[in-house]
Amino acid sequence: MIAAGDLRSGVKVELDGTPYVVTDYQWVKPGKGGAFMRTKLKNMKTGAISDRTFRTEEKLQKAEVEDRKVQFLYHDGDVYHFMDTESFDQFSIGQKKLGAASGFLKDGMIISVLFYRGEPVDVVLPIFVELRVVETDPGFRGDTASGGSKPATLETNAVIQVPLFINIGDLLRVDTRSGAYVERA
């Protein structure tokens, strides 16, 4: 059990038999009455975000989520296939559940998958990945009217904004949290 006053971003709780992760929280002490926590909770099964308010002394059930290291094998249409690195069991996750993470998965990449009662509920990517540019327009010297960036397609088919000096074949470091270019690798 965890007290509602101890909720922080990233804490996983179980409400009505469903796992949630806290994405945002605010401790509020009104002039009259007891303190309470305003939270934004993400449903780990559906991805839906909801707002909930708890009294700080309320007790919440901690979600029993298992973190497993898995290897990304391949994708077949909208289905992505993974293998557990310890038990060698294979399983698949749909692109809808992966969301934006699907644009940064490279064959053979080791990532973490969170399981709730034996079912994969969330994918945790490394913060930075290195991906090669497969398509981009040439950047012209002095062309800064567009803000100094251009779209580039990466080897995983993700499209990100990159500086004008990036060319086809360059290896880039990309932040998976925001999908932003960081630097050349």
Side-chain angles (χ1 to χ4, degrees):
M1 299 296 272
I2 185 168
D6 294 334
L7 292 178
R8 302 290 179 261
S9 295
V11 172
K12 294 156 189 73
V13 295
E14 184 177 322
L15 300 170
D16 304 324
T18 306
Y20 289 89
V21 62
V22 177
T23 58
D24 192 28
Y25 68 96
Q26 180 182 18
W27 187 81
V28 179
K29 174 66 174 117
K32 188 175 183 182
F36 59 90
M37 293 291 283
R38 268 193 203 122
T39 61
K40 282 191 187 290
L41 302 172
K42 178 182 173 189
N43 185 321
M44 293 177 75
K45 288 185 175 181
T46 65
I49 305 263
S50 61
D51 294 327
R52 291 282 296 258
T53 302
F54 302 100
R55 293 184 326 272
T56 54
E57 64 274 0
E58 254 182 276
K59 298 287 185 192
L60 303 171
Q61 180 67 40
K62 205 168 188 180
E64 297 298 324
V65 178
E66 182 184 358
D67 187 359
R68 293 189 205 161
K69 294 286 183 205
V70 300
Q71 181 178 18
F72 172 61
L73 300 174
Y74 64 96
H75 72 92
D76 182 22
D78 289 344
V79 180
Y80 289 73
H81 301 274
F82 299 89
M83 177 182 66
D84 190 315
T85 57
E86 290 181 16
S87 67
F88 303 108
D89 292 335
Q90 292 187 16
F91 60 94
S92 57
I93 300 176
Q95 183 174 6
K96 186 176 180 183
K97 183 168 264 191
L98 285 175
S102 65
F104 302 111
L105 288 173
K106 206 164 122 177
D107 292 349
M109 180 183 276
I110 303 291
I111 62 169
S112 292
V113 174
L114 301 177
F115 285 82
Y116 177 73
R117 296 187 179 162
E119 177 187 343
V121 291
D122 199 10
V123 174
V124 181
L125 293 175
I127 295 174
F128 301 106
V129 293
E130 293 182 0
L131 300 170
R132 195 162 301 283
V133 176
V134 294
E135 183 182 330
T136 188
D137 296 330
F140 297 106
R141 181 172 265 168
D143 179 16
T144 58
S146 62
S149 67
K150 61 183 179 178
T153 304
L154 305 174
E155 61 187 300
T156 59
N157 291 330
V159 178
I160 65 169
Q161 292 293 318
V162 297
L164 296 173
F165 59 83
I166 299 296
N167 298 312
I168 293 174
D170 287 352
L171 191 62
L172 306 180
R173 185 176 305 253
V174 180
D175 186 337
T176 59
R177 298 168 296 185
S178 62
Y181 162 85
V182 177
E183 63 185 358
R184 276 199 257 191

